[in-house]
Amino acid sequence: MRAFLFFAGFVVISILLCKLAHAKSIDPSGGMQLVNDKLWMLQESGSALSAEEVMAKYEGRLLTKNTSGQVSYGFTNNTIWGVLPVDINTYGEPVTSDPHNLSESFPFLPLVIEIDNAWLDDIDVYFFENGERKHHVTLGDNQIHSARAERARMPSVFYRFTQQQTIVVFRFSSQDPMTIPVYLGQPVIANDKSTENAYFYGALYGSLVILLVYNLVLYSYLKERRYLLYSLYLLSFLAFNFTYTGHGFWWVWSDSVFLQQGLMPTLMFFYLFSAVRLTIEFLNTQLYLPKLY
């Protein structure tokens, strides 16, 4: 037991040191910015509007500013539209495509837009410059990973902003809870964020696997059912979290939309069931709380 506690403490300290060291390497003024408070929102009953029509409503001041920075809209059959005006001077210094040949170069700012949610069904991102639609990207877990714009865990798109102001129009629809955190930042910062997440989840999953094996060994020696139930609880949580965070769709079943959309509710059920079963066994409710049991 002492050896295990020492190991657990070592893992926690290592995670904290890695995060502190990584934080020092990132310019805090240039991090990925949550831009939900800059969005102009529209909730459409059904799905009949086009991006151009939403753009016209935005120019006619018919949209509502998301001043509270609302991220979650719960379960809804509505299509949610968001309009984001992007001023490139807000997010960094524009660069040129070819600094050695200024006659053919032009200033632009490369930025990454990331929707930090792995379970949304359909996401459309439209880019408007000078009132005209220039680019359209389709994201969401109704698409296999190989068809996505970026090979990333979360739905994201890279775009070179060449105008002083570009209007980005988002369209969201999903049968799952509508949570739409939108982040914007430079590619190097997006890569730093991805690396930091990789370290965190690597430590988390590694610790859970070791704890799972430890409890299975205890069960094999002691034959006490609570250790087996705790192991099943850890396994179900690990599997659910692996799916919930988008790692499973990214690494394992990247070409199966059916598995991505079917495994999450199934694993959620097993996770909750194992938690309840473990609680019943751990508290020995059949003996001490028979009415509750």
Side-chain angles (χ1 to χ4, degrees), residues 226-267:
R226 58 180 177 174
Y227 292 111
L228 177 60
L229 292 174
Y230 186 47
S231 299
L232 294 176
Y233 168 74
L234 289 173
L235 179 61
S236 62
F237 172 77
L238 183 62
F240 171 61
N241 189 274
F242 188 71
T243 305
Y244 171 84
T245 56
H247 286 97
F249 195 29
W250 188 23
W251 288 337
V252 183
W253 52 85
S254 57
D255 291 327
S256 177
V257 173
F258 174 77
L259 284 178
Q260 171 62 12
Q261 296 185 344
L263 280 177
M264 196 174 301
T266 303
L267 293 174

Side-chain angles (χ1 to χ4, degrees), residues 13 25 65 75 87 134 137 167 170 180 191 222 237 244 275 278-279 286:
I13 293 173
S25 67
K65 183 70 176 295
F75 285 98
D87 185 343
K134 295 296 184 180
V137 177
I167 306 299
F170 300 90
I180 51 173
N191 290 334
L222 301 177
F237 172 77
Y244 171 84
L278 172 64
T279 303
Q286 190 172 9

Side-chain angles (χ1 to χ4, degrees), residues 3 34 52 58 68 96-97 107 130 139 166 226 236 249 251 261 269 271:
L34 181 67
E52 285 76 11
Y58 165 74
S68 63
T96 55
S97 58
N130 299 321
L139 303 169
T166 301
R226 58 180 177 174
S236 62
F249 195 29
W251 288 337
Q261 296 185 344
F269 168 77
Y271 164 57

